[in-house]
Amino acid sequence: MATLQDISLAATINILSALAFLVAFAILRLQPFNDRVYFPKWYLKGIRGSPRRSRAFVSKFVNLDCRTYLRFLNWMPVALKMPEPELIDHAGLDSAVFIRIYLLGLKIFVPLAVLAFAVLVPVNWTGKSLQNIKDLTFSDIDKLSISNVPTGSNRFWAHIVMQYVFSFWTCYVLYKEYKIIATMRLHFIASENRRPDQFTVIVRNVPPDPDESVSEHIEHFFCVNHPDYYLTHRVVYNANKLAKLVEEKKSLQNWLTYYQNKYERNPEKKPTTKTGFWGLWGTKVDAVDHYAAKMEKLCEAEAAERERVITDPKAIMPAAFVSFKTRWGAAICAQTQQSRNPTIWLTEWAPEPRDIYWDNLAIPYVELTIRRLLMAVAVFFLTFFFMIPIAFVQSIANIDGIEKVLPFLKSLMEMNVIKSFIQGFLPGIALKIFLILLPTILTIMSKIEGLISLSSLERRTAGKYYLFILVNVFFGSIITGTAFQQLHKFINQSPTEIPKTVGVSIPMKATFFITYIMVDGWAGVAAEILRLVPLIMFHLKNTFLVKTEQDREQAMDPGCLNFSISEPRIQLYFLLGLVYAAVTPILLPFIIIFFSFAYMVFRHQVPCLVD
């Protein structure tokens, strides 16, 4: 059981880690050769130029202006001062609303923390129930929890009343926030330009007709069923081979542009290349002529393939994008059943062109149902069987577990610093490492389900991820003991006793969740602002792969917020805060620090990075 000293050591480690990440970010972002990594969207919009131009050689790579290092933390007030309309203009409404979720956490939990510390902490501290139990090991943190209140005491009325107050305040803040977001959404929709996807639905599983082609059948169906609103349609073609040719053409065009630029810089020497693999061997030829000839052949092949796709009936898929004259007409079509048979003429709002996941457009309805059923079963087994290795890792990530596995380290474990490190830091970091690959697995499962847009894939993955951490991180962690003890406990007790087991365990696991919040919510968010992986990848690509400005733009891809990971994490912290507010209020300040820190970090990240 982690003590106050263990929590203090863990807090020190995570605070120092967070500060190290922030200082590293503040210094790295000042260097000219990192400018495209930390401000990619500003470059893509053309509102920021490279600081490496018109500088001395060393100054192109390293910032030699000492005055900028004295102001290396000025990004914090700048990020917080950006007006919300400007934030929406830079990153969109979704990103602005995402940031407001962190602000919502502060609005809810700051008043809750004040009330809990003013009312419940004194009630718990003066309960002195734990001190009257013999042979019981407890810490100072347990004295601040509901565990220190004697059974049957009238003090529990304070917890019941405060829980109602907390619930009322949470609902009130949510109501006010939803009103604000609804107003923002209506204003955003009214002020933005019309987009084709706002008037378009996607129809799938178009039934075959022996007398008409797919295109004619779709036009006939919508002219009959939606005569006042139907405008036009576009059928979907299976053009996978054509897409590969287009990608190959872009690559060849890139190489051609590279060698043309190289020749323009030095007209006296024509660039050459070899005709073998990657230009490493083969006959040496003129590079510009070689790639120009390959481009000409590829253009002919692309035109022929495009003609084949258009004329080949087998290339037409039973799906189409149908456009309407008004949004009202599109809404009616998207939200109503089009046929007596619910498995054909399936309609829904069309995603934006950049949001479409083309691979799933032609999946039949029956296959969709089977896929989703199989993935639901797979998620069930993954969620519950994953608890076994997590419980095993958690069982050995403590003093007793390590001493059993590695008995020769017992003398080392008894050192105060090592003991505090293991009990206050190791369980949280062990669980964090164990969950790294999970979002990738869940994303693949969502793709198999047959969803047709990237945003719906992210939402479905986020739902699966939250279910997983709810079962494994929350419920799995609050039930104490090893994996086999947990399994034995659930099998051999009445189902009506399970809520009691969970309720008794919740206060006892407060210290574990405190360490998890510090590892995941403090150091984890600070590590995110550093953008270590994009930083390394950009410099590797810039050194070995970048040949043209187009390559450089692709190398500094701003990416987007990882919604499938960030949103379930926020939900978990809301859950922990609301559960422990009346049980162990000492957890609330750690959650408030997370929301404050994350709000500041994402306030900076979103305008500079989100696309």
Side-chain angles (χ1 to χ4, degrees):
M1 181 181 295
T3 64
L4 191 59
Q5 179 183 355
D6 302 334
I7 297 297
S8 300
L9 179 63
T12 302
I13 293 173
N14 284 286
I15 290 172
L16 291 177
S17 301
L19 289 176
F21 285 128
L22 290 178
V23 171
F25 162 73
I27 294 175
L28 287 173
R29 69 186 287 271
L30 294 176
Q31 310 312 314
F33 68 98
N34 290 331
D35 206 55
R36 291 178 181 270
V37 179
Y38 293 110
F39 302 97
K41 194 169 184 182
W42 300 82
Y43 277 90
L44 295 177
K45 283 192 169 186
I47 56 179
R48 187 180 182 93
S50 175
R52 300 175 66 178
R53 296 175 182 173
S54 304
R55 286 193 176 197
F57 179 77
V58 177
S59 299
K60 289 183 178 181
F61 300 94
V62 181
N63 189 347
L64 300 178
D65 187 357
C66 298
R67 293 172 296 179
T68 58
Y69 291 97
L70 299 176
R71 305 188 302 271
F72 70 96
L73 293 178
N74 66 346
W75 62 271
M76 294 183 180
V78 171
L80 296 175
K81 288 179 182 178
M82 177 178 284
E84 197 164 61
E86 186 178 347
L87 180 66
I88 294 174
D89 182 58
H90 276 294
L93 179 65
D94 290 343
S95 298
V97 172
F98 178 81
I99 292 175
R100 288 192 66 91
I101 298 177
Y102 294 102
L103 189 60
L104 175 67
L106 294 176
K107 291 179 180 178
I108 291 176
F109 290 116
V110 170
L112 261 60
V114 173
L115 284 174
F117 273 79
V119 178
L120 296 182
V121 168
V123 171
N124 294 339
W125 181 263
T126 56
K128 298 182 179 180
S129 173
L130 297 175
Q131 299 175 12
N132 298 327
I133 302 176
K134 296 180 179 181
D135 301 325
L136 178 66
T137 303
F138 60 91
S139 66
D140 290 337
I141 294 177
D142 295 318
K143 294 179 182 179
L144 300 174
S145 73
I146 199 172
S147 301
N148 201 31
V149 178
T151 303
S153 172
N154 289 329
R155 292 171 180 263
F156 284 117
W157 283 106
H159 298 84
I160 294 174
V161 172
M162 293 310 296
Q163 187 61 58
Y164 275 103
V165 172
F166 295 163
S167 301
F168 173 79
W169 174 252
T170 302
C171 293
Y172 174 75
V173 174
L174 282 172
Y175 170 73
K176 299 293 288 186
E177 187 67 18
Y178 270 113
K179 285 188 66 176
I180 294 172
I181 292 175
T183 303
M184 290 171 59
R185 181 176 181 272
L186 292 174
H187 182 267
F188 180 80
I189 293 174
S191 61
E192 72 169 349
N193 295 326
R194 293 181 175 182
R195 302 192 316 269
D197 58 276
Q198 295 173 335
F199 298 82
T200 305
V201 301
I202 183 171
V203 56
R204 293 189 292 166
N205 223 32
V206 176
D209 189 289
D211 301 323
E212 295 178 319
S213 66
V214 174
S215 181
E216 292 171 342
H217 192 195
I218 292 172
E219 183 178 8
H220 180 225
F221 178 86
F222 283 96
C223 283
V224 171
N225 292 280
H226 300 271
D228 298 329
Y229 303 113
Y230 171 73
L231 180 62
T232 185
H233 73 277
R234 291 282 183 180
V235 293
V236 177
Y237 293 89
N238 184 355
N240 292 334
K241 185 178 179 181
L242 178 61
K244 293 178 181 178
L245 291 175
V246 171
E247 289 299 317
E248 188 178 349
K249 180 181 175 182
K250 288 181 181 179
S251 178
L252 288 178
Q253 181 63 52
N254 210 31
W255 278 106
L256 180 60
T257 303
Y258 167 69
Y259 284 115
Q260 287 174 340
N261 294 340
K262 190 175 181 180
Y263 178 65
E264 289 175 1
R265 288 193 297 267
N266 188 10
E268 298 177 359
K269 183 181 179 182
K270 283 194 171 185
T272 60
T273 187
K274 295 181 179 180
T275 56
F277 182 70
W278 278 6
L280 299 176
W281 55 74
T283 307
K284 185 177 288 188
V285 295
D286 183 290
V288 175
D289 294 341
H290 174 69
Y291 281 102
K294 292 185 72 172
M295 276 289 296
E296 185 177 352
K297 290 182 181 179
L298 195 60
C299 287
E300 294 174 358
E302 181 188 352
E305 178 63 19
R306 180 177 284 107
E307 184 65 25
R308 185 198 69 80
V309 168
I310 294 175
T311 57
D312 185 7
K314 295 181 179 179
I316 300 176
M317 300 167 66
F321 293 93
V322 182
S323 298
F324 293 83
K325 299 175 183 178
T326 64
R327 293 184 183 180
W328 174 256
I332 291 175
C333 181
Q335 299 176 27
T336 55
Q337 185 174 311
Q338 302 300 310
S339 171
R340 292 181 180 178
N341 185 349
T343 66
I344 60 175
W345 296 105
L346 306 177
T347 57
E348 59 183 289
W349 281 107
E352 294 183 42
R354 62 178 179 173
D355 192 36
I356 300 172
Y357 188 66
W358 296 96
D359 295 350
N360 288 343
L361 279 181
I363 299 176
Y365 179 84
V366 176
E367 185 178 335
L368 275 176
T369 305
I370 295 173
R371 282 170 175 247
R372 289 173 182 173
L373 177 61
L374 292 175
M375 287 303 102
V377 174
V379 168
F380 173 83
F381 283 104
L382 178 67
T383 300
F384 286 94
F385 281 93
F386 213 79
M387 185 183 292
I388 296 174
I390 285 183
F392 176 73
V393 171
Q394 289 296 325
S395 66
I396 65 172
N398 55 62
I399 295 293
D400 296 333
I402 294 176
E403 288 181 353
K404 288 180 181 178
V405 178
L406 304 171
F408 58 89
L409 295 178
K410 185 174 182 179
S411 58
L412 184 64
M413 299 294 104
E414 298 303 322
M415 296 176 60
N416 291 333
V417 175
I418 301 298
K419 186 177 181 180
S420 297
F421 173 81
I422 292 173
Q423 292 185 333
F425 183 76
L426 191 58
I429 194 68
L431 181 59
K432 179 68 176 176
I433 293 173
F434 219 76
L435 297 176
I436 286 177
L437 295 178
L438 183 64
T440 303
I441 298 173
L442 295 179
T443 300
I444 294 173
M445 295 174 72
S446 297
K447 289 180 179 179
I448 296 174
E449 285 188 37
L451 300 172
I452 63 170
S453 67
L454 299 176
S455 57
S456 62
L457 283 174
E458 285 201 338
R459 289 195 299 270
R460 188 63 63 89
T461 302
K464 293 186 179 75
Y465 190 51
Y466 177 70
L467 175 65
F468 184 92
I469 61 177
L470 175 65
V471 173
N472 287 280
V473 177
F474 184 70
F475 288 115
S477 297
I478 63 178
I479 301 169
T480 57
T482 64
F484 299 106
Q485 289 172 338
Q486 290 179 31
L487 186 62
H488 181 269
K489 183 181 294 186
F490 275 108
I491 291 176
N492 291 278
Q493 69 178 2
S494 170
T496 58
E497 292 296 313
I498 293 178
K500 183 178 179 180
T501 302
V502 173
V504 170
S505 301
I506 284 177
M508 300 170 62
K509 282 311 240 182
T511 53
F512 166 75
F513 287 119
I514 288 173
T515 62
Y516 181 78
I517 291 169
M518 289 189 291
V519 171
D520 181 66
W522 296 8
V525 172
E528 187 167 334
I529 198 173
L530 188 59
R531 302 197 76 219
L532 188 59
V533 174
L535 177 69
I536 295 173
M537 294 302 298
F538 172 78
H539 287 300
L540 288 176
K541 291 179 179 179
N542 198 39
T543 303
F544 299 107
L545 300 178
V546 169
K547 303 176 292 295
T548 63
E549 282 300 318
Q550 183 180 356
D551 284 344
R552 186 167 284 109
E553 288 183 2
Q554 292 177 352
M556 64 175 185
D557 179 22
C560 60
L561 290 171
N562 200 337
F563 179 83
S564 59
I565 297 177
S566 301
E567 196 271 342
R569 177 169 63 184
I570 298 173
Q571 288 193 52
L572 175 64
Y573 290 152
F574 273 106
L575 173 67
L576 292 176
L578 294 175
V579 168
Y580 278 96
V583 175
T584 310
I586 192 65
L587 185 135
L588 292 177
F590 296 90
I591 291 181
I592 290 172
I593 292 174
F594 160 74
F595 279 113
S596 304
F597 191 35
Y599 177 74
M600 180 185 65
V601 167
F602 284 107
R603 258 281 185 166
H604 171 268
Q605 293 284 79
V606 166
C608 299
L609 304 179
V610 175
D611 187 13

